[in-house]
C-alpha cells in the first residue's frame, strides 16, 4: 500500500524548499519594531497578548464576552472588570485608557469604542465576510491572486432541530449564490484545472454534527439516519450546481461516527462515483495515522478518489480538558512536536497513495508544507492529486509564496455574523499567540535551523499528559465512553443478559440469611409498566426487630475490625461493581427509567463512594497527635453503633451505596431500607457486598414499607444514626422523631438528611446563550427532572429573556422522549403512576399562574410526561416555590442581577443553583450571595462528582455534611481524646535524646 520510500530521502529536499518559502515569508523585523508604537490597536492587542500570558487569558475572555454586550457603558465596565484584575500586568497605553472612574463617562466610551473597533478589525482579519455579498467579494479577490477557496458557515451551535434544518437551507442558498456569481468568473488554469480535468470553482465545508441537533455516538443508528437524510439533499443539490462539498472534522467524540456515516453514504450507488467530496483527518489525534490507513483501504475498494484534508486540529484545549475531567485517555498528543511528526507521517502516507486519494495539506508551518512538496516532487504526484490549504487571514505570505511556485492553494474562508463567529476568532487568536505556534516563532525571528528542524519524535513513546488528580489526592473512576463502538456493543449485551433475569424474587437479608416474607411487591419498569423487573419480599416489623438484634450482636467485633480490613471490603465491592458496570447500568435503566448514559454515571458514583470513603477512613484512623513534653494526647475516632439507611429511588445505586458504605467503613452495623420502587437494584448491591466479604449481621438488606418498617427502625432505641435521602416532608418527620428519647435509649441520634431543592439557574445579559440553553435543558429535563439537583426555575434578565426562551423552547422540542433503554432517548418516564399524577396536578396549577411556553406530548404505555415550560412565572407562584420532581420548568423574568439573586434565594430550599454569566462581578457575587450548597458557574447544575463537587445543601434542603466530601464520615463517628501522663518519678522519654 505504501511505496516504502525512506523518510530521510525527503529531508534534504524539504530543507531546500522550506528555506525558499521562508525567505519569501519573512520581512525586515527592525523596521516593524520601529513602527510598533504607531501600530493599529488590533495589532497592539495581539502583540500584548503574545508577550503577557495573564493579559492574554483575560483579553480573550473579554473578546469572548464582547458580542453579548449591548452598549458602550457595558463594554467599558467589562473592560475594567477583565483587565483591571491585579494579576494582569497592563501595558502603559492600555492602563491609561482604562483609567476612567465611570463606564458612562466620556473616557469610558472612548475606551469602549477603541477596543471594540480593534476587536472588530481583528475579526475581519480571520472572518471572510458577514454576509454572502461580502464573501463573494472576498473570494473574487482571492481568485485574482490565483487562490481557490472553500467556504465555512459560522453560526450558533446547533442545539435545536429548527437550527439543523436552517443550517442545511443556508448551505443550499450559499452554494446557489456562489455558483450564480461564478458564471461571471473567467477560468484560472492554476486553480480551476489540473491534468486536463476541471476542478469545481465553488467549494463549501460543512460540519456533520450540525445536520442533527441530538447527534450522539451512543445513538449511532438514529444519528446516522437523521444526518444522512440531510446530507443526501446537500450532495444532490451540489451535483446539480457543480459545487464541491468538504466535510470538516470536529471533536474526537464524533470522529468515528462521522467517518462511518460518510463511508457508508459515499458507497451508495448515487454517490459512489463522486470525486468532488472531501473528508478531514486531524494529526493531533493519536489514532489519526490508523484512521488514514483505513480511509485509504476504503478508497481502494471504492475505486474513486476523494479529497482528504490533513490538518493539525483546532480543539486541543477542549480535548485535553474533557479527557481529564472524564478520566479518559488523552486522545490528542500533548506535545506539539509529536503532532508535527504525525502530520509529516500522514502527509507521506497520503501522497504515497495518490492514486486513491487527493491530498489537501492544511498548515501554516513552512516546514510542513515544504515536506509535502518534497514528497510530491519526488514521487511525481499529479497536480490534481494534491493542493495546499491555509486559513483565511493566517499564513497569507506562505500562501502567496506557494502560489508563486506554481502550487494550487485553497483558502478556508469562514463567514457569518461576528457574534457567533467569536468562538472561531478566539481559536485563531489562541493559535496565533501560542508559544509553540510556527507563525509566532517566525515573527519572533527564531533561527532558521530551529524553525525548520525535523520534529524528531518516536510517536509510540509520546506520553499522555498526567492528570492533576493523579499527582495527589483522590482519583475517581471513568464513565463509559460511548463514542467507542465496543462500549455500545457491551451495553446492548448487558441489556440482553438482564432481560433474561427479569421477574425474579428478591428477599431481605437478615443476619447473613435471605428470609421469606408474607408480603411481596412488584417492581415495574416505568418505561413499560406491564414489565415486572422483580418481586421484592417486604420485611415485617418482627423481622426488622430480628435484624436489629443481629446488628447489635455483630457490632462489637465489627467496631474492632481494623480499618484497613473494613476499607478492603469497600475496595473489593468497587472492583465488583466496575466488572459489572454495564449490567448494573442496565438494571438502573429498567427499574427506575434512567437513560443509559446517566445510569452509567451513577455506577461510577457508587464506585467512587466506595474508593473515596475507604481512603478517607484510613486518613481519619491515623487520628491527630497533640503531644507535649511528658504527655501524649491522641485525638481518635470510634464507631457510633447501628445505622439505618433510608435510600431514595432516583439514585438507587449511588446514594444507597454512598450512605451504606460510609456507615460500614466507619465501623457501624448498617440496615439498608431502600425505596420500594428501586429495591431490585439494592438487592444487586447486597449481592456485591456479600461477595466482597461483609460479615453477617454487619450489613442487612431490609426492604419494607416506609410507614411501618421505616418508622419502626427510625424510632428504635438502638438506632444511633439515620441517613436519609428523600422528600422534605418525610425528612422533617424523621428529624422530629429521632429527637425524642425512647425508653432504654442512652444516646442522642444523629440524623443526616438530604431533602431536595427548588433549584434555580440565573441567566444574565452577558451569558453565552448557546451554553446556557444546553445547560438548562440538561439540568431541567435530564432524567425527567427527577434529581434533587435538577433545575426547576430559570431566572432570566430582561435584555436576553425573549431570545433565551425562544431557543430554550426549540431545544426542548428537539429532545427525544421514549423508553429509557433506547439509545436515542433523552427524556424517559417518571418513576410511577403516583408521581405522574402529582406532576400533572402541578402542571394544571401552573396553567392558572403563568403562560405555557411549551407542553410536549408523551407516549402512553409507560409513566411518561412530556417536558413543560412555563414562561413569565411570578416568583411567588406555587410552581416556582414547591418541589415538583418532574420535567416542569418555570421561567421568570427579572430586571437586573440584584433582583435575580433575590428571586433565586426566595424559597425554603438551598441545594444547588447555577449562573450563566461572563460578567466577573456577577460571578463573584453569586459565589458569596447565592444561598445554595452547590453553586455552579457556566455549566449544568447536576452530576456532582465525588471528591470534586461534594454534594448537599442547607435551609430546608437538608442537615449534615456534604456527601463525597472530607467531613462526611465524621457524622458516622464519635471523636475521643486519650491523654496519658508519661512521666515516671520526674523523668520522661525525650524525643531525639540518646
Amino acid at each position: 500500500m505504501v511505496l516504502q520510500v525512506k523518510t530521510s530521502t525527503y529531508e534534504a529536499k524539504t530543507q531546500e524548499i522550506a528555506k525558499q518559502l521562508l525567505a519569501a515569508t519573512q520581512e525586515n523585523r527592525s523596521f516593524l519594531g520601529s513602527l510598533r508604537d504607531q501600530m493599529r490597536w488590533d495589532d497592539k492587542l495581539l502583540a500584548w497578548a503574545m508577550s503577557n500570558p495573564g493579559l492574554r487569558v483575560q483579553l480573550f475572555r473579554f473578546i469572548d464576552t464582547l458580542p453579548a454586550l449591548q452598549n458602550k457603558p457595558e463594554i467599558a465596565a467589562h473592560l475594567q472588570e477583565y483587565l483591571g484584575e491585579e494579576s494582569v500586568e497592563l501595558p502603559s497605553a492600555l492602563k491609561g485608557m482604562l483609567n476612567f472612574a465611570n463606564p458612562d463617562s466620556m473616557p469610558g466610551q472612548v475606551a469602549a469604542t477603541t477596543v471594540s473597533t480593534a476587536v472588530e478589525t481583528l475579526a475581519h482579519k480571520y472572518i471572510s465576510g458577514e454576509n454572502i455579498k461580502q464573501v463573494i467579494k472576498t473570494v473574487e479577490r482571492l481568485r485574482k491572486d490565483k487562490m481557490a477557496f472553500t467556504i465555512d458557515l459560522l453560526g450558533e451551535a446547533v442545539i435545536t432541530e429548527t437550527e439543523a434544518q436552517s443550517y442545511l437551507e443556508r448551505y443550499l442558498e450559499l452554494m446557489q449564490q456562489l455558483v450564480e456569481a461564478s458564471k461571471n468568473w473567467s477560468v484560472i488554469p492554476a486553480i480551476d484545472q489540473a491534468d486536463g480535468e476541471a476542478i469545481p470553482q465553488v467549494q463549501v465545508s460543512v460540519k456533520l454534527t450540525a445536520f442533527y441537533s441530538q447527534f450522539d455516538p451512543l445513538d449511532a443508528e438514529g444519528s446516522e439516519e437523521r444526518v444522512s437524510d440531510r446530507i443526501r439533499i446537500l450532495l444532490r443539490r451540489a451535483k446539480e450546481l457543480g459545487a464541491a462539498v468538504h466535510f470538516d472534522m470536529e471533536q474526537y467524540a464524533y470522529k468515528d461516527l462521522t467517518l462511518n456515516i460518510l463511508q457508508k453514504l459515499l458507497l451508495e450507488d448515487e454517490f459512489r462515483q463522486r470525486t468532488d467530496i472531501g473528508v478531514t483527518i486531524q494529526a493531533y489525534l493519536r489514532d489519526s495515522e490508523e484512521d488514514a490507513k483505513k480511509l485509504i483501504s476504503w478508497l481502494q475498494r471504492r475505486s474513486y478518489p476523494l479529497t482528504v484534508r490533513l490538518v493539525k486540529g483546532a480543539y486541543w484545549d477542549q480535548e485535553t480538558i474533557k479527557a481529564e475531567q472524564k478520566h479518559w485517555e488523552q486522545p490528542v498528543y500533548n506535545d506539539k512536536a509529536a503532532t508535527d511528526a504525525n502530520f509529516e507521517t500522514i502527509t507521506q502516507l497520503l501522497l504515497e497513495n495518490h492514486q486513491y486519494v487527493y491530498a489537501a495539506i492544511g498548515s501554516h508551518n513552512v516546514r510542513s508544507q515544504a515536506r509535502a512538496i518534497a514528497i510530491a516532487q519526488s514521487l511525481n504526484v499529479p497536480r490534481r492529486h494534491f493542493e495546499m490549504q491555509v486559513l483565511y487571514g493566517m499564513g497569507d505570505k506562505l500562501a502567496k509564496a506557494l502560489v508563486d511556485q506554481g502550487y494550487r492553494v485553497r483558502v478556508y474562508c469562514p463567514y457569518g455574523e461576528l457574534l457567533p463567529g467569536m468562538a472561531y476568532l478566539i481559536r485563531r487568536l489562541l493559535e496565533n499567540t501560542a508559544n509553540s505556534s510556527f507563525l509566532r516563532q517566525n515573527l519572533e525571528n527564531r533561527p532558521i535551523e530551529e524553525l525548520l528542524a525535523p520534529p524528531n519524535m518516536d510517536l509510540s513513546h509520546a506520553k499522555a499528559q498526567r492528570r492533576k488528580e493523579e499527582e495527589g489526592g483522590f482519583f475517581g473512576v471513568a464513565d463509559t465512553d460511548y463514542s467507542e463502538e465496543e462500549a455500545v456493543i457491551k451495553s446492548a449485551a448487558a441489556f440482553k443478559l438482564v432481560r433474561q433475569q427479569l421477574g425474579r424474587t428478591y428477599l431481605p437479608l437478615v443476619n447473613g440469611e435471605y428470609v421469606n416474607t408474607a408480603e411481596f411487591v412488584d417492581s415495574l419498569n416505568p418505561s413499560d409498566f406491564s414489565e415486572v423487573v422483580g418481586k421484592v419480599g417486604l420485611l415485617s416489623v418482627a423481622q426488622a426487630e430480628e435484624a436489629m438484634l443481629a446488628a447489635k450482636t455483630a457490632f462489637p467485633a465489627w467496631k474492632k475490625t481494623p480499618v484497613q480490613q473494613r476499607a478492603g471490603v469497600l475496595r473489593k465491592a468497587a472492583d465488583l461493581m466496575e466488572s459489572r458496570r454495564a449490567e448494573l447500568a442496565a438494571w438502573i435503566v429498567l427499574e427506575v427509567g434512567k437513560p443509559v448514559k446517566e445510569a452509567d454515571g451513577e455506577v461510577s458514583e457508587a464506585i467512587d463512594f466506595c474508593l473515596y470513603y475507604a481512603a478517607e477512613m484510613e486518613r481519619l484512623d491515623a487520628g491527630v497527635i497533640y503531644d507535649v513534653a511528658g504527655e501524649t494526647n491522641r485525638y481518635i475516632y470510634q464507631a457510633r453503633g447501628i445505622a439505618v439507611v433510608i435510600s431514595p429511588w432516583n439514585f438507587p445505586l449511588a446514594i444507597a451505596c454512598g450512605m451504606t458504605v460510609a456507615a460500614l467503613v466507619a465501623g457501624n452495623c448498617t440496615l439498608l431500607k431502600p425505596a420500594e420502587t428501586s429495591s431490585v437494584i439494592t438487592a444487586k448491591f447486597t449481592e456485591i457486598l456479600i461477595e466482597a466479604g461483609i460479615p453477617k449481621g454487619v450489613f442487612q438488606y431490609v426492604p419494607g414499607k416506609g410507614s411501618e418498617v421505616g418508622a419502626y427502625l427510625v424510632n428504635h432505641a438502638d438506632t444511633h444514626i439515620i441517613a436519609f435521602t428523600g422528600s422534605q416532608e418525610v425528612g422533617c418527620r424523621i428529624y422530629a422523631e429521632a429527637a425524642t428519647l425512647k425508653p432504654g435509649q442512652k444516646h442522642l441520634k444523629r440524623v443526616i438528611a438530604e431533602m431536595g431543592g427548588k433549584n434555580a439557574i440565573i441567566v444574565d445579559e452577558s451569558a453565552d446563550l448557546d451554553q446556557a440553553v444546553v445547560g438548562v435543558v440538561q439540568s431541567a429535563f435530564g432524567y425527567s427532572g427527577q434529581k434533587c439537583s435538577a433545575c426547576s426555575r430559570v431566572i432570566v434578565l430582561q435584555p436576553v429573556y425573549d431570545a433565551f426562551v425562544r431557543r430554550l423552547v426549540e431545544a426542548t422540542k428537539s429532545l427525544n422522549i421514549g423508553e429509557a433503554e433506547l439509545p436515542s432517548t433523552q427524556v424517559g418516564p417518571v418513576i410511577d403512576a403516583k408521581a405522574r399524577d402529582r406532576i400533572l396536578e402541578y402542571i394544571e396549577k401552573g396553567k392558572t399562574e403563568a403562560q405555557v411556553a411549551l407542553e410536549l406530548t408523551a407516549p402512553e404505555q409507560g409513566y411518561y410526561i412530556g417536558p413543560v415550560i412555563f414562561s413569565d412565572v411570578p416568583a411567588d407562584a406555587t410552581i416556582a416555590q414547591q418541589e415538583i420532581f418532574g420535567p416542569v420548568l418555570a421561567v421568570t423574568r427579572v430586571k437586573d442581577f440584584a433582583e435575580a439573586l433575590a428571586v433565586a434565594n426566595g424559597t425554603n430550599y438551598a441545594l444547588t443553583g447555577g449562573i450563566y454569566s461572563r460578567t466577573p462581578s456577577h460571578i463573584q457575587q453569586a459565589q458569596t450571595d447565592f444561598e445554595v450548597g452547590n453553586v455552579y458557574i457556566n455549566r449544568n447544575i447536576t452530576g456532582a462528582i465525588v471528591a470534586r463537587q461534594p454534594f448537599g445543601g442547607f435551609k430546608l434542603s437538608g442537615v449534615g455534611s456534604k456527601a463525597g466530601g472530607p467531613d462526611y464520615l465524621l457524622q458516622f463517628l464519635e471523636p475521643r481524646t486519650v491523654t496519658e501522663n508519661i512521666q515516671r518519678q520526674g523523668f520522661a522519654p525525650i524525643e531525639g535524646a540518646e
Side-chain angles (χ1 to χ4, degrees):
M1 175 171 140
V2 174
L3 297 176
Q4 296 309 331
V5 176
K6 287 238 184 317
T7 303
S8 56
T9 61
Y10 298 132
E11 187 55 33
K13 209 165 212 175
T14 300
Q15 289 291 334
E16 183 193 330
I17 296 165
K19 281 172 186 165
Q20 291 167 11
L21 290 173
L22 201 57
T25 63
Q26 287 192 326
E27 295 175 47
N28 183 334
R29 297 289 153 231
S30 56
F31 174 67
L32 247 185
S34 67
L35 286 178
R36 178 145 294 193
D37 296 333
Q38 298 157 42
M39 273 195 304
R40 294 182 336 207
W41 272 91
D42 52 306
D43 288 330
K44 283 185 181 178
L45 290 179
L46 262 189
W48 291 331
M50 282 193 210
S51 58
N52 184 331
L55 173 61
R56 178 174 178 247
V57 170
Q58 290 301 95
L59 181 62
F60 289 177
R61 283 182 170 174
F62 167 76
I63 290 172
D64 175 52
T65 313
L66 189 57
L69 307 178
Q70 308 287 321
N71 51 50
K72 284 180 185 170
E74 266 186 41
I75 294 172
H78 282 76
L79 251 180
Q80 271 190 336
E81 286 194 35
Y82 275 103
L83 303 185
E85 271 204 7
E86 280 176 29
S87 61
V88 180
E89 266 184 72
L90 289 180
S92 50
L94 208 47
K95 200 180 278 180
M97 193 175 70
L98 292 180
N99 193 20
F100 50 84
N102 186 337
D104 281 321
S105 65
M106 186 53 81
Q109 304 232 11
V110 168
T113 307
T114 306
V115 174
S116 52
T117 306
V119 172
E120 215 165 294
T121 309
L122 258 182
H124 283 301
K125 272 187 178 174
Y126 303 111
I127 295 170
S128 65
E130 290 190 66
N131 53 50
I132 294 181
K133 210 170 155 188
Q134 288 177 9
V135 170
I136 290 172
K137 222 172 171 173
T138 299
V139 301
E140 286 176 347
R141 195 181 69 243
L142 288 172
R143 285 181 59 80
K144 209 182 260 177
D145 293 336
K146 294 185 185 164
M147 293 183 201
F149 65 85
T150 185
I151 307 289
D152 165 45
L153 187 54
L154 296 172
E156 294 162 321
V158 171
I159 54 179
T160 75
E161 276 308 274
T162 313
E163 288 164 355
Q165 184 58 33
S166 161
Y167 183 78
L168 171 62
E169 285 162 8
R170 286 170 71 197
Y171 263 108
L172 296 174
E173 187 198 350
L174 172 65
M175 290 193 303
Q176 171 78 47
Q177 296 213 24
L178 284 168
V179 168
E180 203 54 50
S182 75
K183 288 174 183 170
N184 302 318
W185 299 343
S186 52
V187 171
I188 300 167
I191 52 175
D192 297 334
Q193 295 168 342
D195 310 325
E197 194 185 319
I199 298 171
Q201 291 180 323
V202 170
Q203 188 188 101
V204 293
S205 285
V206 300
K207 290 172 177 56
L208 203 74
T209 59
F211 289 105
Y212 178 40
S213 62
Q214 310 303 315
F215 193 90
D216 183 357
L218 176 59
D219 179 29
E221 221 170 278
S223 299
E224 182 186 328
E225 193 183 315
R226 302 292 288 274
V227 161
S228 299
D229 286 346
R230 287 182 171 137
I231 291 174
R232 286 188 190 98
I233 293 168
L234 181 79
L235 293 180
R236 283 171 195 143
R237 185 64 182 137
K239 188 179 185 182
E240 287 166 17
L241 293 168
V245 176
H246 195 98
F247 291 94
D248 282 331
M249 194 56 79
E250 301 167 88
Q251 287 83 352
Y252 181 70
Y254 305 136
K255 172 183 67 82
D256 288 349
L257 183 54
T258 297
L259 290 172
N260 288 347
I261 290 172
L262 290 174
Q263 286 177 17
K264 214 180 265 188
L265 191 84
L266 297 175
L267 281 182
E268 289 176 10
D269 290 345
E270 185 182 355
F271 306 113
R272 185 170 190 148
Q273 294 181 25
R274 296 275 291 271
T275 57
D276 55 355
I277 296 168
V279 297
T280 306
I281 288 210
Q282 298 160 310
Y284 68 1
L285 295 180
R286 291 170 183 271
D287 49 12
S288 53
E289 185 187 349
E290 197 49 44
D291 288 336
K293 286 176 179 171
K294 285 179 185 165
L295 207 47
I296 291 165
S297 294
W298 172 78
L299 283 166
Q300 282 177 299
R301 292 196 302 278
R302 184 177 184 264
S303 308
Y304 295 92
L306 291 174
T307 299
V308 174
R309 176 193 291 151
L310 178 63
V311 296
K312 303 227 166 133
Y315 302 92
W316 187 88
D317 296 63
Q318 204 177 326
E319 297 291 8
T320 49
I321 289 165
K322 184 181 179 180
E324 192 169 316
Q325 287 184 347
K326 295 275 190 186
H327 306 310
W328 291 341
E329 285 297 312
Q330 290 280 0
V332 292
Y333 288 114
N334 298 107
D335 193 317
K336 187 178 177 295
T339 298
D340 287 345
N342 195 40
F343 190 91
E344 293 193 5
T345 301
I346 300 171
T347 297
Q348 186 171 334
L349 192 61
L350 295 175
L351 290 169
E352 288 178 345
N353 288 280
H354 60 80
Q355 61 273 51
Y356 314 115
V357 62
Y358 300 151
I361 309 299
S363 175
H364 308 118
N365 184 321
V366 168
R367 180 186 162 88
S368 299
Q369 292 288 20
R371 183 68 168 190
I373 294 169
I375 298 168
Q377 282 183 4
S378 303
L379 300 176
N380 289 319
V381 176
R383 286 297 168 100
R384 174 65 185 99
H385 289 248
F386 84 106
E387 67 181 34
M388 316 324 234
Q389 296 196 351
V390 296
L391 293 171
Y392 182 78
M394 298 193 40
D396 295 353
K397 293 188 183 73
L398 173 60
K400 188 182 179 312
L402 289 167
V403 168
D404 290 346
Q405 291 204 10
Y407 294 101
R408 185 168 71 254
V409 173
R410 189 175 303 279
V411 181
Y412 184 96
C413 300
Y415 105 89
E417 293 168 35
L418 294 190
L419 191 147
M422 222 32 92
Y424 176 84
L425 174 63
I426 297 289
R427 285 210 300 277
R428 295 294 72 82
L429 294 178
L430 283 168
E431 197 175 324
N432 260 337
T433 58
N435 283 326
S436 57
S437 152
F438 182 89
L439 290 170
R440 176 173 176 172
Q441 290 176 356
N442 193 13
L443 263 179
E444 290 171 347
N445 251 352
R446 297 275 177 93
I448 287 175
E449 296 69 32
E450 191 185 320
L451 284 172
L452 303 183
N456 288 329
M457 178 162 267
D458 177 358
L459 294 180
S460 60
H461 294 107
K463 286 197 175 72
Q465 197 165 283
R466 280 173 67 80
R467 291 172 275 215
K468 286 191 179 74
E469 289 158 308
E470 283 182 82
E471 289 160 16
F474 177 73
F475 185 61
V477 297
D479 291 346
T480 300
D481 180 0
Y482 289 105
S483 69
E484 293 175 0
E485 202 178 348
E486 195 185 316
V488 180
I489 293 166
K490 200 172 177 184
S491 172
F495 274 104
K496 215 170 178 180
L497 181 71
V498 167
R499 282 202 168 279
Q500 291 163 4
Q501 301 171 46
L502 294 185
R504 290 185 183 175
T505 299
Y506 298 90
L507 296 171
L509 181 80
V510 174
N511 200 20
E513 305 290 333
Y514 286 111
V515 296
N516 274 312
T517 60
E519 207 177 333
F520 289 85
V521 67
D522 284 347
S523 180
L524 307 177
N525 176 357
S527 291
D528 175 4
F529 41 66
S530 66
E531 189 168 64
V532 176
V533 176
K535 288 182 177 304
V536 179
L538 298 180
L539 212 67
S540 66
V541 167
Q543 287 171 314
E545 178 57 31
E546 282 174 39
M548 213 24 131
L549 286 170
K552 212 171 164 182
T553 307
F555 177 63
W558 184 243
K559 177 185 177 184
K560 287 181 177 157
T561 300
V563 163
Q564 223 166 348
Q565 209 174 311
R566 299 197 305 245
V569 173
L570 267 64
R571 291 192 175 104
K572 174 72 173 154
D575 289 346
L576 290 167
M577 281 194 266
E578 187 59 78
S579 69
R580 295 174 200 171
R581 171 188 283 277
E583 199 182 318
L584 287 168
W587 282 111
I588 294 169
V589 171
L590 294 174
E591 192 178 24
V592 300
K594 185 173 282 194
V596 179
K597 268 188 199 169
E598 297 191 64
D600 178 76
E602 181 173 343
V603 179
S604 293
E605 188 177 1
I607 297 167
D608 283 350
F609 276 135
C610 290
L611 299 175
Y612 179 66
Y613 291 149
E616 277 296 286
M617 193 59 229
E618 286 170 344
R619 175 181 69 84
L620 292 170
D621 189 45
V624 187
I625 295 168
Y626 297 115
D627 291 354
V628 291
E631 182 177 277
T632 62
N633 292 288
R634 301 278 184 279
Y635 186 78
I636 56 172
Y637 297 96
Q638 68 179 30
R640 283 177 172 268
I642 294 170
V644 171
V645 171
I646 301 172
S647 66
W649 52 261
N650 66 331
F651 281 86
L653 179 63
I655 294 180
C657 173
M659 296 193 293
T660 300
V661 300
L664 289 172
V665 80
N668 304 290
C669 286
T670 305
L671 288 81
L672 168 60
K673 195 213 86 62
E676 283 175 45
T677 42
S678 61
S679 298
V680 172
I681 295 155
T682 36
K684 294 288 161 195
F685 171 59
T686 299
E687 290 167 10
I688 284 167
L689 282 181
I690 293 168
E691 203 175 321
I694 200 80
K696 66 177 199 170
V698 170
F699 166 78
Q700 296 172 93
Y701 165 61
V702 292
K705 287 189 173 157
S707 54
E708 294 169 14
V709 169
Y712 180 75
L713 295 174
V714 163
N715 284 288
H716 203 288
D718 290 324
T719 296
H720 289 77
I721 307 154
I722 300 145
F724 167 80
T725 299
S727 71
Q728 184 189 306
E729 182 196 348
V730 176
C732 289
R733 188 163 69 240
I734 288 171
Y735 199 67
E737 287 171 356
T740 309
L741 211 59
K742 302 294 181 298
Q745 185 180 320
K746 295 174 182 169
H747 56 269
L748 293 175
K749 292 174 184 173
R750 165 67 59 91
V751 175
I752 304 152
E754 199 266 89
M755 304 185 294
K758 190 68 190 169
N759 312 307
I761 290 177
I762 295 171
V763 179
D764 80 3
E765 65 273 53
S766 69
D768 178 334
L769 291 192
D770 281 355
Q771 215 182 35
V773 170
V774 171
V776 167
V777 169
Q778 284 174 350
S779 304
F781 304 121
Y783 192 33
S784 304
Q786 299 176 110
K787 299 177 185 178
C788 356
S789 56
C791 166
S792 55
R793 298 182 295 151
V794 195
I795 300 156
V796 188
L797 268 66
Q798 170 64 41
V800 292
Y801 183 88
D802 293 331
F804 174 80
V805 172
R806 189 172 61 249
R807 290 193 77 198
L808 173 70
V809 165
E810 286 301 328
T812 307
K813 262 188 207 170
S814 306
L815 297 173
N816 298 316
I817 304 166
E819 292 172 46
E821 188 182 347
L822 298 174
S824 58
T825 295
Q826 283 107 8
V827 181
V830 297
I831 187 67
D832 59 16
K834 198 168 141 196
R836 180 193 58 199
D837 298 344
R838 192 195 69 248
I839 296 162
L840 290 172
E841 280 174 29
Y842 273 112
I843 291 169
E844 287 313 305
K845 177 71 179 161
K847 287 174 181 176
T848 67
E849 297 179 312
Q851 299 293 315
V852 177
L854 178 69
E855 184 172 16
L856 290 179
T857 55
E860 297 286 309
Q861 183 57 22
Y863 304 117
Y864 294 98
I865 293 179
V868 178
I869 298 171
F870 289 102
S871 60
D872 287 311
V873 179
D876 59 355
T878 305
I879 56 167
Q881 288 292 318
Q882 293 181 17
E883 186 177 43
I884 299 171
F885 228 61
V888 181
L889 183 61
V891 190
T892 298
R893 188 193 302 255
V894 291
K895 63 180 186 300
D896 56 29
F897 191 69
E899 188 189 352
L901 268 179
V903 170
N905 291 336
T907 73
N908 296 332
Y909 294 97
L911 186 55
T912 66
I915 169 179
Y916 281 92
S917 171
R918 289 178 288 191
T919 302
S921 55
H922 287 177
I923 291 170
Q924 187 57 48
Q925 198 181 345
Q927 289 176 24
T928 54
D929 298 350
F930 203 156
E931 292 173 4
V932 290
N934 286 52
V935 62
Y936 295 95
I937 298 155
N938 291 325
R939 55 151 283 174
N940 62 338
I941 64 170
T942 60
I945 291 173
V946 173
R948 197 186 289 176
Q949 295 111 7
F951 185 78
F954 49 97
K955 284 165 65 172
L956 287 182
S957 280
V959 60
S961 289
K962 286 172 167 291
D967 319 317
Y968 191 71
L969 287 188
L970 298 178
Q971 304 167 116
F972 297 87
L973 295 161
E974 293 285 10
R976 297 179 64 217
T977 301
V978 178
T979 297
E980 182 187 355
N981 168 18
I982 53 171
Q983 289 187 83
R984 298 282 167 88
Q985 309 299 335
F987 79 92
I990 296 170
E991 208 176 306
E994 287 297 322

